[in-house]
Amino acid sequence: MKPIPLAKPIIGRQERKAVIRVLKSGNLAQGTEVKAFEEEFSKVVEGRDCVAVNSGTSALHLALLSLNIGPGHEVIVPSFTFAATANSVALTGAKPIFVDIEPLTFNIDPIEIEKAVTKNTRAIQVVHLYGLPANMPDIIKIAKKYNLLIIEDAAQAHGANIQGKPVGTFGDAAAFSFYPTKNMTTGEGGMIVFADEIATKKARLLRNQGMEKRYTNEIVGFNLRMTEFQAAIGRIQLKKLSTWNKTRQENAYFYSNNLQNVLTPHITPGYEHVFHQYTIRIKKERDQVQDFLRAQKISCEVYYPTQVHKLPSFECDMELPQTLAATKEVLSLPIRPDLSSRELNFIVRILEEATKR
Ligand SMILES: *Cc1c(COP(=O)(O)O)cnc(C)c1O
């Protein structure tokens, strides 16, 4: 068996052609391709306004800034996530407040959110981890009760939905990532989705030096623009997204029906999981199981080995027991849409060997 990578981008003839078309056009920086990508992406988020940027992290950061979050504010975030979720909050000058997750879904626990609300709380930044939507109905109730904004970190959840309502449409803003390992890619890239026009306008200004009209800078801004070739790739990838997600779900279904001795991912009824990661829980000797798989050239990863609030960048003195347990027990298996059934069967067999010792 050849080595089985955990994630790799699927780039085809159409993407290559699109990049060459852009290179030949001579227009490389943010222009008509970016605009078209934003309009096409808007269709998967119920027509909400979309602003393309150079990464998912930039998308989170600009989403927060455009909602006027900054110094003096607290933003509630999960600690079981990629550091960018909390970094984006800290970069605005606001304080990330870390709360625990639900053990079953790995997503932020609404009960813990409510306990963490103070008079300084301004927003909740939820993550739809691994591609499973967070409990948005309960989170929206809390946000209404305490008058809080909601930002969705949808970096891992393109196309996920709750009873047909897509992630990215529950909050005041949402951020998607197009990093090469995500369900669709532009190389590097991100998309912000907004519920209201004022925030959209502010994000467009902040993305481009604070100007809409050239050399009429209205506010102090960044350069976080997406390139035309990134957008051209994204437009093609977007067309393939739902087919890829379906194949990820089929692969997940196969694993969940065949894996033994491990806890397979929970799916809340009515929630559509798009399996950015297929993450199992192994109660004992997780690291040995990982080594066993790797020895067979099956790549598998621990997302995430460290609680974000315990990273040297945050060093918070608090305990989040469910988050801690998850860091010790999770293991993500290859779930790419281009896995063969031979590879899937092989992974099931090796994992069974690894766990029955
Ligand atoms: C990938 C990711 C990000 C950041 O996206 P980049 O495009 O890599 O900047 C943020 N949050 C989560 C949960 C992610 O998985």
Side-chain angles (χ1 to χ4, degrees), residues 99-164:
V99 306
D100 217 345
I101 52 167
E102 304 169 328
L104 216 50
T105 64
F106 301 110
N107 277 325
I108 192 165
D109 186 341
I111 294 167
E112 299 301 317
I113 293 176
E114 188 156 12
K115 285 191 213 156
V117 173
T118 72
K119 64 178 189 338
N120 297 322
T121 309
R122 188 76 192 94
I124 310 164
Q125 180 148 294
V126 307
V127 182
H128 306 299
L129 198 71
Y130 305 146
L132 177 68
N135 181 346
M136 295 315 296
D138 284 4
I139 293 167
I140 288 168
K141 272 184 216 144
I142 296 166
K144 285 210 172 113
K145 184 168 166 190
Y146 297 97
N147 192 24
L148 306 175
L149 297 166
I150 297 175
I151 299 98
E152 296 172 71
D153 180 343
Q156 305 187 351
H158 321 64
N161 62 77
I162 303 177
Q163 274 149 355

Side-chain angles (χ1 to χ4, degrees), residues 97-284:
I97 303 295
F98 296 97
V99 306
D100 217 345
I101 52 167
E102 304 169 328
L104 216 50
T105 64
F106 301 110
N107 277 325
I108 192 165
D109 186 341
I111 294 167
E112 299 301 317
I113 293 176
E114 188 156 12
K115 285 191 213 156
V117 173
T118 72
K119 64 178 189 338
N120 297 322
T121 309
R122 188 76 192 94
I124 310 164
Q125 180 148 294
V126 307
V127 182
H128 306 299
L129 198 71
Y130 305 146
L132 177 68
N135 181 346
M136 295 315 296
D138 284 4
I139 293 167
I140 288 168
K141 272 184 216 144
I142 296 166
K144 285 210 172 113
K145 184 168 166 190
Y146 297 97
N147 192 24
L148 306 175
L149 297 166
I150 297 175
I151 299 98
E152 296 172 71
D153 180 343
Q156 305 187 351
H158 321 64
N161 62 77
I162 303 177
Q163 274 149 355
K165 186 170 171 59
V167 301
T169 65
F170 291 96
D172 297 278
F176 289 84
S177 163
F178 306 121
Y179 187 72
T181 58
K182 311 287 172 163
N183 291 35
M184 60 175 282
T185 187
T186 62
E188 294 272 10
M191 190 71 80
I192 324 169
V193 177
F194 286 109
D196 91 43
E197 277 172 31
I198 297 166
T200 309
K201 178 170 161 38
K202 186 160 180 199
R204 290 194 191 288
L205 288 173
L206 285 171
R207 169 177 68 176
N208 187 25
Q209 314 287 2
M211 61 187 183
E212 202 162 73
K213 241 173 73 203
R214 255 218 263 189
Y215 309 129
T216 340
N217 308 55
E218 298 171 41
I219 55 175
V220 177
F222 305 89
N223 171 2
L224 302 174
R225 297 182 302 258
M226 180 180 266
T227 64
E228 288 285 89
F229 33 91
Q230 286 170 299
I233 297 170
R235 294 178 68 192
I236 309 284
Q237 295 259 311
L238 185 58
K239 291 196 191 119
K240 303 177 180 175
L241 177 67
S242 63
T243 308
W244 283 337
N245 280 347
K246 223 171 268 146
T247 311
R248 285 175 182 272
Q249 289 162 349
E250 284 162 15
N251 292 348
Y253 190 72
F254 177 82
Y255 277 142
S256 293
N257 279 330
N258 289 283
L259 288 178
Q260 274 145 37
N261 316 327
V262 298
L263 282 172
T264 56
H266 168 84
I267 301 179
T268 318
Y271 283 49
E272 187 171 349
H273 194 322
V274 292
F275 290 100
H276 170 63
Q277 299 295 348
Y278 183 91
T279 304
I280 57 174
R281 259 187 125 113
I282 304 172
K283 288 279 180 194
K284 52 175 213 264

